[in-house]
Amino acid sequence: MSSRLIFLLAAFVASWGFALNSGRPLAFNLAYLISGILALSYFWSWTSTRAIHINRHTRARRSQVGQHFEESFEVRNQGRLPKLWLEVRDFSTVPFHGASRVVSHLQGRARHRWQVRTYCQQRGYYRLGPMRLLSGDPLGLFSINQTLDQTSDLIVYPATVTLSAFQPPAADLAGGEALSRRAQYITTNVSGIREYAPGDSFNRIHWLTTARTGRLMTREFELDPSADIWLFLDLHSRTAHSLPWRLAPPQAGVFGLSGRKRNEALELAPSTLEYAVTAAASIARYFLLRNRAVGLIWHGSQRYLLQIDRGERQMRKMLEALAVVSAEGSMPFDQLLVTEGVRLNRNDMILAITADPDPEWVRALREIRRRGVHSVAVVVDGSTFGGQASYQELTHELALSNIPTYQVQRGDDIGAVLGRPGNGDGRPAVVSL
């Protein structure tokens, strides 16, 4: 209750007490005036949010770090009475999503629209809504609010950077014999012909056999003999390091098509996890754009395995999974490689992404290589993120093992580091900025 209303209520009681005790017409006129002000103000407040409808429209409920998320709002007055002022408060959890707005002088049968563009700086799931509509009388005596409980979700994918090249190039990956596993998509390897079943695509029909037998016959395919790519992401809590960082309001400027300011590099949180996730998403995008089959494995708070697949849908699955990962794992990276590496086939490729300075995981990769499984290492240098361990022994072990290595440090342009042609001798490919 505002101090102004308390004063007016006190004046209301006093005026009626004085009028009833004195019986003077002036006192009664004053009491009637104060009573009318209170009644009119209350009625104004009560009707201020009546016949008001609020619509919010989201173009897409997914965005990406480094891009903008857009929402449009509409406040519509369906009544005949004008609204002096309306305040819309938004309680979304998206950082710096300035959707709250004050709408003034909304005429009857009128509407007010506005659009909000928010720069996404951090991956994860966020809530859109709820909202609250507030209004009151011109004197500020009474206020009324109405809560709109409808909510929806927004997922912000991790950032991806464009890689001009990567070791090994997609065209140089080793092939192998045709795998005797059925494929749901068309490959170059036909394994046989069977009778048509409902749901089969028409481009799989073998028309020569169909004409000869008089029945619809479709082709079956085996998996492409080219090597599969497996991303192993280290989420062990012991190896994760980060520096203090706070989200800052995005500065105004001219933005390009990617959502970032022109001539401005992507700024990531100073965390080994964020750099590793961005590297994993970028590498997956590089190979999926080249029609390679990519899978993803990690052990965080629970085991996660995304089976190999290719195409845009696989990229979306990976981004959705990487959007919510956190360094909560308890399994060391070498154990993860040994445990999950047994499922890989000859000529598959492991992309080990980790900030672990322990060379044990390099020895695990050497053991897996004896079965014909090749590997590439992406090492996030935790010493540049506040870690105390040295990476010299790890670098030496990688060189002795002849494992192509990319070393990413805090502040590096990940696209420049990973896009540098690999040297193939196990020495770290480091770009100094």
Side-chain angles (χ1 to χ4, degrees):
M1 186 178 294
S2 65
S3 59
R4 188 178 302 176
L5 178 59
I6 294 175
F7 173 77
L8 201 60
L9 289 175
F12 170 79
V13 174
S15 63
W16 276 105
F18 178 69
L20 294 174
N21 289 327
S22 65
R24 297 181 179 179
L26 180 61
F28 277 100
N29 291 338
L30 180 61
Y32 291 147
L33 176 63
I34 296 177
S35 301
I37 291 175
L38 287 173
L40 181 61
S41 297
Y42 179 79
F43 177 76
W44 191 307
S45 298
W46 182 77
T47 59
S48 59
T49 59
R50 300 290 172 175
I52 295 295
H53 290 257
I54 300 179
N55 295 324
R56 68 187 305 168
H57 174 71
T58 306
R59 288 188 177 181
R61 292 184 182 166
R62 52 181 178 268
S63 187
Q64 192 171 22
V65 172
Q67 295 184 1
H68 281 89
F69 160 67
E70 296 186 1
E71 264 196 312
S72 58
F73 295 81
E74 180 186 74
V75 176
R76 187 168 67 253
N77 182 7
Q78 293 186 333
R80 296 181 179 179
L81 297 177
K83 308 299 181 183
L84 185 62
W85 65 273
L86 297 168
E87 182 181 357
V88 180
R89 292 183 184 177
D90 180 55
F91 296 94
S92 300
T93 58
V94 183
F96 305 109
H97 188 52
S100 300
R101 190 66 55 95
V102 175
V103 180
S104 59
H105 304 293
L106 185 62
Q107 299 296 325
R109 309 296 184 183
R111 64 186 65 191
H112 179 82
R113 297 189 181 101
W114 71 93
Q115 190 175 41
V116 179
R117 299 180 75 242
T118 303
Y119 185 68
C120 298
Q121 305 180 64
Q122 196 170 35
R123 61 185 175 85
Y125 273 99
Y126 298 95
R127 187 192 70 240
L128 300 176
M131 294 190 298
R132 182 176 297 168
L133 178 63
L134 299 95
S135 188
D137 62 281
L139 298 180
L141 301 178
F142 299 96
S143 62
I144 190 168
N145 65 81
Q146 180 179 354
T147 302
L148 309 176
D149 296 323
Q150 293 85 354
T151 61
S152 57
D153 292 326
L154 168 71
I155 181 172
V156 178
Y157 295 152
T160 57
V161 296
T162 301
L163 306 182
S164 57
F166 191 75
Q167 173 69 30
D172 295 343
L173 287 174
E177 297 180 357
L179 302 177
S180 298
R181 287 184 288 171
R182 295 292 181 263
Q184 301 299 321
Y185 45 84
I186 296 177
T187 70
T188 58
N189 307 299
V190 180
S191 63
I193 297 176
R194 60 170 173 79
E195 193 166 350
Y196 177 85
D200 288 344
S201 176
F202 286 111
N203 59 357
R204 299 177 64 143
I205 296 176
H206 194 263
W207 294 107
L208 293 178
T209 306
T210 299
R212 186 173 64 252
T213 60
R215 303 191 310 272
L216 280 177
M217 306 296 290
T218 59
R219 294 169 291 176
E220 283 193 321
F221 299 89
E222 290 179 339
L223 288 179
D224 197 321
S226 59
D228 296 328
I229 312 296
W230 284 95
L231 301 181
F232 280 70
L233 182 61
D234 184 13
L235 296 181
H236 198 291
S237 58
R238 177 179 55 84
T239 61
H241 301 283
S242 61
L243 295 174
W245 183 68
R246 292 182 60 185
L247 290 173
Q251 299 179 357
V254 180
F255 292 86
L257 296 177
S258 65
R260 298 190 294 271
K261 286 185 180 180
R262 294 176 184 174
N263 302 322
E264 181 177 297
L266 175 68
E267 182 181 358
L268 296 176
S271 164
T272 56
L273 176 62
E274 296 304 319
Y275 276 66
V277 168
T278 302
S282 302
I283 294 171
R285 179 174 179 267
Y286 172 83
F287 284 109
L288 287 172
L289 287 176
R290 286 153 181 81
N291 200 32
R292 308 299 300 204
V294 183
L296 180 62
I297 297 176
W298 72 62
H299 271 256
S301 56
Q302 58 185 1
R303 176 178 178 267
Y304 179 85
L305 186 148
L306 179 61
Q307 290 290 350
I308 57 170
D309 203 349
R310 61 189 75 200
E312 183 179 350
R313 185 176 64 175
Q314 181 74 347
M315 187 72 238
R316 186 168 61 251
K317 289 180 180 179
M318 286 195 168
L319 291 177
E320 289 178 355
L322 292 171
V324 295
V325 297
S326 57
E328 299 177 350
S330 58
M331 176 179 288
F333 194 48
D334 60 308
Q335 294 185 20
L336 172 63
L337 291 169
V338 171
T339 303
E340 302 291 349
V342 297
R343 69 174 58 253
L344 305 188
N345 300 305
R346 183 177 181 84
N347 294 321
D348 282 351
M349 173 67 65
I350 290 179
L351 289 174
I353 305 173
T354 179
D356 190 356
D358 189 353
E360 282 298 323
W361 63 268
V362 183
R363 302 184 183 103
L365 288 178
R366 281 207 310 264
E367 292 297 322
I368 297 175
R369 187 168 58 186
R370 293 183 179 180
R371 297 191 290 107
V373 179
H374 306 285
S375 59
V376 174
V378 177
V379 179
V380 181
D381 192 346
S383 62
T384 62
F385 294 87
Q388 302 299 321
S390 173
Y391 284 74
Q392 293 183 355
E393 185 180 356
L394 174 65
T395 302
H396 179 68
E397 192 72 24
L398 286 166
L400 290 179
S401 303
N402 197 29
I403 296 177
T405 306
Y406 292 85
Q407 186 170 349
V408 181
Q409 300 178 352
R410 180 170 63 91
D412 281 350
D413 185 339
I414 295 179
V417 175
L418 300 181
R420 184 182 183 184
N423 45 44
D425 59 2
R427 291 182 284 108
V430 181
V431 177
S432 299
L433 301 177

